[in-house]
Amino acid sequence: MKGIQTMIKELWNFLCSLKLAIVLASLSTLIIGAGSMVMPAHPEIFGDLDRMTLTNWYAAVASQHPLLTWWLPVAGLLLISLGVNTLCCFCDWLMRLRSRWRKTGEYLIHLGFILLLAGYLWGAWAGNRTEGLRLPPGKSVPLPAPEGYALRLEDFRALTGPGGRPIDMISDLSLLRGEEVVARKTVRTNHPLLYQGLVVVPLSFATETSGFRFLRPGRGLVDLVTGETLELSGQERLEVLDFAPHVLRQSNGRVRRIGDQLRSPAFLLELRAADKQIWKGWYLLREGLPEALEHRLNLRPVGPLENRISVVTANYDPGAGLAMAGGACLTAGALFAFFSYYRKRRRQERPEVI
Amino acid sequence: MPQSDIPLLWSALGANALAVLFYLLHVQIRRPAIWRFAFALVLTGFAVQTLTLALRWFAAGYLPVTNLFSTLFFFSWCLAATYVYFELRYRLHASGLFVMLVNLVLLAAALQRDPAIPALVPALDTPLFTLHIVFSFLGYALFTMAFSLGVLYLVRRVTGSALIPDLSKLRRLNEEAIFLGFIFFTLCMVFGSLWAYLAWGYWFSWNIKGVWSFIVWLFYAGMCHAKFVRRWQGTGYALLSIAGFGVVLFTYLGIGLLLRSNHPLG
């Protein structure tokens, strides 16, 4: 029994060892320093590290290049060991708090490091990163994570500087859980939407063609976008079911979408009388009105209708709160240690040297 | 950029160069009046640098530390401030030669660059950036001070020169510089991470500068522990301070000049 107690005590002393901390910190420094030298030379491997979580990156990219990335799991193991060592030191300090309270600053820094490490690992394991999420105005776009949430762009403005250079992107965003709006925020640089580990920051913006403006001789201008309905004579209605900026009609007559650039625009239309469908098909502007519509309607294309869409980064990091707490501990610890440093020295308090 | 900057910058360089010359003279002719005059020149140079920094800050509307000229200039200002603090508090006297030599190199390197103040990009327009940059360069300056003290420790140990403070004082000052540098660099990392989270959506970036900043933090965290191990005290600590400065230099200059990084400051 005494032997086991001695063994546990020795193990605890080893885990709390200052020398172990120095060895682990030195090894981590060497491994990360040497390993990181390959990073700038291989952007195709390491360039995506900030675009996805570490675990996703490891599964998708690093596992394909083990010779260039082996140092990362080794560094991870060393840092986790350092975290365990730091945690043991912190617990050891807590148990002797009455005699060591003057070291509060230094041990808050220890706690901060543990929380940061734990927060990072949690985020890397359970988090998700989505870069380049395109948000057209008024539409709800589901988020990959957390599940059941969607973003809706209410309004978007691009701020331009001298020469028309874009300097900021301002998006009025709503975060929805189902149909319920759970958060609203005007997102711009340095002002993200934050909600329970989700952070949405502006990335870029783009222009999207949402429809076309036409002239109906004798009736003025009409904008055709998805969901729009035109009243025709004799109780007939023409509904716009879809719009595509670039399509191709194949030899079998079917229409295929090619891309988002405005090249060969087309509308999917449905002609109805009361509740009955009379005709449904594609109207390619390049081909002119389909035969079924020619004698019912006269449309002359005027120009495209363009929307600015906001492109954002939506990252979900469940460990962010823990990391924030770690940052707060580091700050408090650093300030406490700073102000107590000279006081301790005035009192001739010298730490134990081993 | 204010037109008054150019003569002010050259005046600061002149004052620092003269201070170095007088410190060198003091090595040959050991009269207190000489190091006092050298230190007066250091104070003059520091005052001119402070005025230049204030004018540039006022003209820009933000702390202008956004390109290589301004970071070298700010680094030099922080190092001068650190040396003035150590000199006033601990009377290092002629030992200032080495620190001021490093400071002269920084200032001379800055003057080779374009001093124009660039337009502030929106991502940098936040108090978090200012805090990040101020604590970062205060940390760098203290690590540079520790490097200088480490070199002095080794010189004193080899030569036994009476011009340099005794070994125990140098050891104590070196430990203080490392500790304060680590505290400031910790604050730099915290504010930088918070800023990155709000601006880019992640608080730790794997860009090469972010990785090496973490290495700097880890290295000096190790040093803060190593001072409690007897065999690492004194010479070992002086050698570690010199090695640490190498890591700092690589992180600050080496990455920007030799490698590609997408860190906002290169």
Side-chain angles (χ1 to χ4, degrees):
Chain A
M1 189 64 187
K2 203 174 174 186
I4 292 173
Q5 275 183 342
T6 312
M7 214 169 72
I8 290 172
K9 196 170 179 215
E10 276 176 5
L11 179 67
W12 180 252
N13 287 342
F14 171 74
L15 288 173
C16 297
S17 158
L18 182 82
K19 285 182 180 170
L20 180 66
I22 296 170
V23 168
L24 290 171
S26 306
L27 285 176
S28 307
T29 303
L30 287 172
I31 287 283
I32 301 170
S36 66
M37 287 294 101
V38 299
M39 292 173 81
H42 295 279
E44 75 284 2
I45 299 172
F46 298 97
D48 285 336
L49 257 168
D50 284 337
R51 293 194 190 100
M52 40 180 106
T53 60
L54 193 60
T55 42
N56 287 349
W57 174 81
Y58 206 83
V61 185
S63 55
Q64 314 291 317
H65 307 277
L67 285 176
L68 292 169
T69 57
W70 63 269
W71 59 275
L72 265 164
V74 175
L77 280 176
L78 286 168
L79 286 174
I80 290 169
S81 307
L82 184 62
V84 172
N85 168 252
T86 312
L87 180 64
C88 293
C89 287
F90 180 75
C91 295
D92 192 58
W93 170 76
L94 271 183
M95 289 187 278
R96 300 156 203 248
L97 189 57
R98 284 185 73 169
S99 61
R100 292 197 191 171
W101 67 269
R102 286 190 182 88
K103 285 262 178 193
T104 302
E106 285 82 343
Y107 281 93
L108 274 175
I109 294 177
H110 283 68
L111 179 62
F113 175 67
I114 298 160
L115 292 175
L116 280 174
L117 196 61
Y120 186 81
L121 291 174
W122 188 7
W125 184 258
N128 184 278
R129 292 189 181 182
T130 311
E131 195 182 271
L133 192 69
R134 295 164 75 90
L135 304 175
K139 281 187 186 167
S140 295
V141 177
L143 289 171
E147 253 180 68
Y149 287 83
L151 276 175
R152 188 172 64 211
L153 179 69
E154 309 293 357
D155 191 21
F156 177 78
R157 301 168 302 283
L159 282 188
T160 50
R165 191 174 58 95
I167 53 171
D168 207 350
M169 299 147 283
I170 302 171
S171 305
D172 294 330
L173 292 181
S174 297
L175 178 69
L176 301 113
R177 186 175 47 211
E179 293 298 310
E180 181 196 1
V181 175
V182 290
R184 282 182 205 277
K185 172 88 181 177
T186 299
V187 168
R188 58 191 169 93
T189 307
N190 289 323
H191 295 81
L193 184 153
L194 298 170
Y195 182 81
Q196 294 179 1
L198 177 74
V199 55
V200 182
V201 296
L203 179 68
S204 176
F205 66 94
T207 304
E208 182 191 65
T209 309
S210 59
F212 234 80
R213 174 163 290 173
F214 294 89
L215 176 70
R216 283 183 81 183
R219 298 202 177 194
L221 293 170
V222 58
D223 291 344
L224 288 193
V225 292
T226 304
E228 191 66 43
T229 304
L230 279 185
E231 299 294 337
L232 306 180
S233 57
Q235 306 252 313
E236 287 182 342
R237 297 168 73 227
L238 185 69
E239 192 172 343
V240 181
L241 300 179
D242 198 4
F243 171 78
H246 188 195
V247 299
L248 177 75
R249 195 184 288 281
Q250 295 170 310
S251 54
N252 58 8
R254 296 181 70 146
V255 168
R256 186 162 66 91
R257 287 169 181 271
I258 305 292
D260 294 329
Q261 295 257 324
L262 184 68
R263 292 207 179 145
S264 174
F267 289 92
L268 179 61
L269 302 172
E270 186 182 47
L271 182 64
R272 302 183 74 88
D275 285 338
K276 193 178 161 199
Q277 185 189 73
I278 298 173
W279 173 87
K280 183 180 169 186
W282 283 94
Y283 161 35
L284 276 68
L285 271 65
R286 188 175 276 177
E287 296 175 350
L289 277 168
E291 211 179 302
L293 300 176
E294 256 180 346
H295 62 278
R296 289 184 161 93
L297 154 95
N298 188 3
L299 286 177
R300 291 181 192 168
V302 175
L305 296 169
E306 291 184 329
N307 276 333
R308 274 195 170 162
I309 62 167
S310 177
V311 184
V312 298
T313 294
N315 292 343
Y316 174 59
D317 181 356
L322 210 54
M324 289 289 166
C329 285
L330 279 177
T331 308
L335 294 174
F336 199 98
F338 177 79
F339 289 113
S340 63
Y341 178 75
Y342 292 102
R343 184 181 153 80
K344 277 189 272 190
R345 220 172 53 183
R346 265 202 312 277
R347 292 164 61 99
Q348 299 284 315
E349 283 178 32
R350 290 294 296 169
E352 194 184 329
V353 174
I354 54 173
Chain B
M1 185 187 88
Q3 285 303 304
S4 52
D5 275 12
I6 304 288
L8 282 174
L9 287 166
W10 282 101
S11 306
L13 184 75
N16 277 297
L18 277 174
V20 168
L21 279 177
F22 274 87
Y23 275 129
L24 276 172
L25 192 65
H26 182 253
V27 174
Q28 296 299 318
I29 309 163
R30 299 182 186 184
R31 286 191 188 155
I34 297 178
W35 71 255
R36 280 200 192 104
F37 187 65
F39 186 57
L41 283 165
V42 170
L43 287 175
T44 309
F46 178 60
V48 173
Q49 274 186 279
T50 308
L51 178 66
T52 313
L53 184 67
L55 286 173
R56 287 172 64 82
W57 195 336
F58 183 74
Y62 62 91
L63 180 64
V65 189
T66 51
N67 58 12
L68 191 53
F69 164 81
S70 49
T71 58
L72 282 166
F73 177 73
F74 191 65
F75 192 173
S76 157
W77 181 83
C78 288
L79 186 57
T82 304
Y83 172 63
V84 167
Y85 163 76
F86 272 84
E87 176 64 51
L88 290 175
R89 194 175 171 104
Y90 302 111
R91 305 287 166 192
L92 297 171
H93 300 337
S95 321
L97 169 64
F98 199 70
V99 187
M100 291 320 292
L101 205 57
V102 175
N103 196 29
L104 190 64
V105 170
L106 284 174
L107 208 48
L111 281 163
Q112 305 300 312
R113 305 271 163 178
D114 180 10
I117 301 172
L120 187 67
V121 297
L124 306 185
D125 189 9
T126 161
L128 289 171
F129 167 69
T130 309
L131 289 167
H132 171 62
I133 212 80
V134 166
F135 285 123
S136 157
F137 281 102
L138 280 175
Y140 281 176
L142 281 153
F143 296 146
T144 310
M145 189 75 205
F147 158 71
S148 306
L149 290 163
V151 172
L152 284 174
Y153 185 96
L154 297 179
V155 171
R156 166 83 201 212
R157 203 172 160 204
V158 171
T159 64
S161 169
L163 267 176
I164 304 171
D166 62 82
L167 290 177
S168 70
K169 185 176 181 180
L170 284 173
R171 196 195 84 189
R172 202 160 39 87
L173 297 188
N174 193 358
E175 286 176 8
E176 179 177 342
I178 295 289
F179 176 76
L180 294 179
F182 176 71
I183 292 292
F184 287 137
F185 203 72
T186 300
L187 293 173
C188 150
M189 294 289 276
V190 170
F191 289 118
S193 299
L194 185 58
W195 170 40
Y197 185 64
L198 298 179
W200 295 284
Y202 43 79
W203 55 269
F204 178 79
S205 169
W206 283 95
N207 74 57
I208 187 82
K209 197 148 193 163
V211 172
W212 273 80
S213 297
F214 177 62
I215 289 174
V216 169
W217 186 83
L218 204 54
F219 182 90
Y220 284 102
M223 274 193 80
C224 286
H225 289 82
K227 71 181 172 194
F228 301 123
V229 181
R230 199 176 301 281
R231 62 186 292 202
W232 278 107
Q233 289 184 339
T235 306
Y237 215 68
L239 289 170
L240 281 177
S241 304
I242 294 167
F245 183 64
V247 179
V248 167
L249 264 192
F250 180 73
T251 307
Y252 168 51
L253 284 177
I255 287 169
L257 298 175
L258 305 173
L259 305 171
R260 276 176 301 171
S261 164
N262 59 353
H263 185 271
L265 291 178

